[in-house]
Amino acid sequence: MTDAAWIDAALTSARPQAVGALLRYFRDLDTAEEAFQNACLRALKSWPQNGPPRDPAAWLIMVGRNAAIDDVRRGRREQPLPDDEAISDLDDAESALADRLDGSHYRDDILRLLFICCHKELPATQQIALALRVVSGLTVKQISRAFLVSEAAMEQRITRAKARVAQADVPFETPGAVERSERLVAVAAMIYLIFNEGYSASGETAELRKPLSEEAIRLARLLLRLFPGEPEIMGLTALLLLQHARIAARFDAEGSLILLEDQDRSLWNEPMIAEGLALIDKAMRHRRSGPYQIQAAIAALHARAARPEDTDWTQIDLLYGALEVVQPSPVVTLNRAVATSKVRGAQAALDMIAPLETRLANYFYFFGVRGALLMQLGRNDEARTAFDRAIALAHSSAEAAHIRMQLDRLMRDGATATAQAGR
Amino acid sequence: MLYALLCYHDEDFVCSWSKDQDEAVMAKLAVVQEKLAKQGRLGPVARLLPTTAATTLRKDDPPLVVDGPYAETKEQLLGFYLVDCNNLDEAVEVARELGEANPGGSYEIRPVGTFRPGGALA
């Protein structure tokens, strides 16, 4: 790697730890971020000349803290960076600080930083935007591109989120065990949200939004390194890896969605699948299953099938059953119905989803599944009605195009049937 | 003599590489590997999945299976090479070339005591 690329990677990897520690000192998100920016500028100047420091995060925290303290002391916001001499004996100070950082604070600083971003008073869109800005360090331009909104709108969203966080009572004490596990749940959910923002993109926007999924994976890995013995965090990381591994196979050249069973499995990312499988295998040994682990286990069964017909639907049906217990939702039942139809036939699946209609009356996927099940039973007129309903509810042209394909198949089969009947 | 070159690096750092950065490093390493392979000196090369994917069997009685290694130390074992060298100087030279292709972290150079090539894997 070149110097610039190396420094770039070092700044990215040190960011959560450094901003987290600066936040602990200053208890203010803006000050912490500004201090980190200052330190980065200094690093870009100093590292190519003096070589990289032993511990980049410790260096950045030290320099950022000093710059911000100077700033506050002089009561001015615009402040030239301190002279090189002022930080010349940083090496000694850095190692002392690094030793202290290696200790317990590190984990709590990052967890606190992530937790602040997923503050329960913030709506999901603000949580995601704030985390991408503060923890990941993506620029407002990058974030607004991924969310398909204007830069001004995204700037406003982030500013609002920060203002709310500043007003809210954020605990800066080291969290206790119970509190920490509560925070962990909230943080995991926020990472999952970020991932889904990228994953649920339609064909046209998939490329644009891919960075969101990748960033979520990076954050999940970070969280897992902080809590390497938490099976649900293993499950979350496995789930994201297994889902993202299929990204190259999910859309055709026109941007239409390709169903799992029709995907070209040679396009799946093997190393990502290997890592996901290793993690879910490890998590299951703990025998403390949770929603992420169960979903990852389902994704793992798909990933292990070399051909669609090798898929272990019986096991998947059972896993969805388990998911219905720990996380009951009509959408989970709908997903289970797909597995059930493979194991016990379309009628059983249809019976299973019948009670869901009122709750999923506006859900595209419900009518898509129902249409497909009715089609399998040869109830073509009813299937057509369901598909029409699905198209009306589709959120993207990729979704609509996918249902239209089913409709075309129905018309074609219908025509053949009529021709045969007339013979 | 066979030497194992054990690759240590800060996992946080390596996991922060973008896909492009990662591929660039791998391409540079491939050049050095190619050269060694042509000389018939390169044994198996392995890049390991992150330590978070690791499980450890502690050889207690009875043996205990635990998660980890927990990456508390600054650098983690991320992969290894097996290279045939006449002496330590040569091994250091190989490590230096690999290090130029992929700066940062460290290579631990360990002479191999017993080696069984095993059967073909792929």
Side-chain angles (χ1 to χ4, degrees):
Chain A
M1 275 195 279
T2 60
D3 262 6
W6 190 91
I7 292 176
D8 188 41
L11 295 180
T12 311
S13 89
R15 186 179 176 102
Q17 189 186 354
V19 176
L22 290 166
L23 180 69
R24 176 156 48 85
Y25 290 127
F26 298 113
R27 305 201 163 201
D28 176 69
L29 217 42
D30 278 328
T31 314
E33 253 204 298
E34 218 169 283
F36 181 75
Q37 294 301 342
N38 268 336
C40 287
L41 286 176
R42 170 64 69 185
L44 287 172
K45 237 178 96 183
S46 151
W47 294 0
Q49 287 170 19
N50 307 336
R54 193 173 71 90
D55 185 338
W59 192 99
L60 291 162
I61 293 166
M62 181 73 97
V63 171
R65 198 177 52 168
N66 289 347
I69 289 172
D70 278 358
D71 225 22
V72 173
R73 258 189 214 138
R74 295 181 202 181
R76 273 188 289 148
R77 269 192 118 47
E78 292 306 317
Q79 192 64 48
L81 293 165
D83 293 336
D84 267 335
E85 290 74 46
I87 52 168
S88 61
D89 50 357
L90 208 60
D91 270 352
D92 295 340
E94 184 204 315
S95 29
L97 182 60
D99 289 343
R100 265 179 288 143
L101 280 173
D102 279 340
S104 55
H105 273 318
Y106 170 53
R107 223 164 66 149
D108 293 331
D109 282 346
I110 297 186
L111 188 60
R112 183 182 297 112
L113 183 62
L114 286 163
F115 178 72
I116 282 175
C117 296
C118 60
H119 202 281
K120 52 185 179 296
E121 280 174 30
L122 297 177
T125 50
Q126 287 186 16
Q127 289 183 6
I128 297 170
L130 194 61
L132 290 173
R133 179 71 203 97
V134 176
V135 185
S136 308
L138 299 191
T139 63
V140 175
K141 191 173 171 187
Q142 286 171 314
I143 306 172
S144 58
R145 255 172 61 107
F147 276 88
L148 315 167
V149 299
S150 73
E151 256 185 88
M154 186 48 74
E155 183 81 64
Q156 204 177 30
R157 199 182 284 179
I158 294 170
T159 311
R160 276 205 200 118
K162 279 186 181 168
R164 273 208 171 172
V165 165
Q167 282 164 16
D169 200 15
V170 177
F172 278 91
E173 290 64 43
T174 300
V178 174
E179 205 184 344
R180 187 185 285 151
S181 86
E182 279 170 9
R183 288 187 188 192
L184 204 53
V185 170
V187 169
M190 190 243 328
I191 292 175
Y192 187 63
L193 277 177
I194 295 180
F195 182 83
N196 276 340
E197 276 297 326
Y199 189 76
S200 59
S202 63
E204 308 100 84
T205 56
E207 204 49 41
L208 217 52
R209 310 194 78 184
K210 207 165 79 178
L212 292 179
S213 301
E214 285 166 358
E215 190 51 34
I217 288 175
R218 208 173 68 84
L219 292 176
R221 282 181 166 148
L222 174 71
L223 201 58
L224 183 59
R225 277 201 294 282
L226 298 178
F227 299 92
E230 283 292 334
E232 264 301 80
I233 305 302
M234 292 178 206
L236 172 69
T237 313
L239 174 63
L240 305 194
L241 285 165
L242 291 168
Q243 300 286 72
H244 195 63
R246 297 199 284 257
I247 193 157
R250 287 184 65 220
F251 299 99
D252 66 15
E254 279 80 47
S256 301
L257 201 63
I258 304 177
L259 284 187
L260 196 52
E261 57 187 38
D262 300 324
Q263 287 175 10
D264 176 356
R265 295 182 181 221
S266 69
L267 295 176
W268 290 1
N269 184 320
E270 271 185 54
M272 245 184 225
I273 289 178
E275 190 180 344
L277 293 179
L279 283 174
I280 189 60
D281 278 356
K282 227 177 106 167
M284 298 299 247
R285 291 182 59 98
H286 284 256
R287 311 238 174 276
R288 277 198 285 140
S289 78
Y292 296 124
Q293 287 174 73
I294 298 173
Q295 290 176 75
I298 292 169
L301 286 170
H302 286 300
R304 283 186 205 275
R307 301 169 306 164
E309 54 269 38
D310 300 335
T311 311
D312 186 349
W313 287 109
T314 308
Q315 197 63 31
I316 291 177
D317 188 30
L318 286 171
L319 284 166
Y320 271 120
L323 192 58
E324 273 183 309
V325 174
V326 295
Q327 202 180 53
S329 114
V331 175
V332 170
T333 306
L334 184 61
N335 282 320
R336 182 179 186 184
V338 176
T340 302
S341 76
K342 308 274 186 187
V343 184
R344 291 188 284 136
Q347 188 58 53
L350 213 50
D351 294 344
M352 187 181 261
I353 65 168
L356 307 176
E357 179 164 5
T358 42
R359 292 169 72 193
L360 297 178
N362 294 312
Y363 192 46
F364 154 82
Y365 187 55
F366 174 79
F367 293 99
V369 170
R370 181 152 88 181
L373 292 173
L374 288 166
M375 197 164 82
Q376 283 173 37
L377 292 170
R379 289 155 66 178
N380 289 359
D381 286 342
E382 289 166 89
R384 199 166 294 136
T385 314
F387 284 143
D388 282 342
R389 204 51 202 283
I391 288 181
L393 292 167
H395 282 300
S396 69
S397 48
E399 284 179 353
H402 176 71
I403 296 293
R404 257 184 227 111
M405 209 173 66
Q406 303 254 53
L407 264 176
D408 286 349
R409 194 182 298 167
L410 201 60
M411 303 277 275
R412 215 169 41 235
D413 295 352
T416 323
T418 318
Q420 279 168 351
R423 212 178 277 161
Chain B
M1 173 155 215
L2 287 178
Y3 284 85
L5 303 187
L6 309 178
C7 319
Y8 284 87
H9 205 322
D10 180 353
E11 202 165 44
D12 286 341
F13 180 76
V14 172
C15 286
S16 289
W17 288 348
S18 68
K19 197 162 152 271
D20 291 347
Q21 283 173 329
D22 196 292
E23 280 166 6
V25 170
M26 290 304 134
K28 280 183 166 182
L29 288 174
V31 176
V32 184
Q33 291 164 20
E34 187 85 352
K35 196 176 89 181
L36 291 166
K38 273 197 185 133
Q39 296 165 351
R41 296 166 62 201
L42 186 67
V45 176
R47 183 179 188 181
L48 305 178
L49 285 174
T51 50
T52 47
T55 301
T56 302
L57 182 109
R58 295 217 175 281
K59 296 181 282 181
D60 299 337
D61 189 23
L64 185 65
V65 179
V66 295
D67 293 330
Y70 291 139
E72 295 291 349
T73 47
K74 198 80 195 101
E75 292 185 336
Q76 290 79 37
L77 176 65
L78 301 185
F80 61 83
Y81 296 86
L82 212 55
V83 186
D84 190 8
C85 301
N86 287 317
N87 51 47
L88 180 60
D89 282 349
E90 272 188 39
V92 171
E93 187 47 39
V94 170
R96 188 172 289 140
E97 274 188 56
L98 289 166
E100 275 166 23
N102 177 16
S106 53
Y107 287 112
E108 180 181 326
I109 300 161
R110 286 272 287 274
V112 173
T114 306
F115 175 66
R116 296 201 182 87
L121 263 180

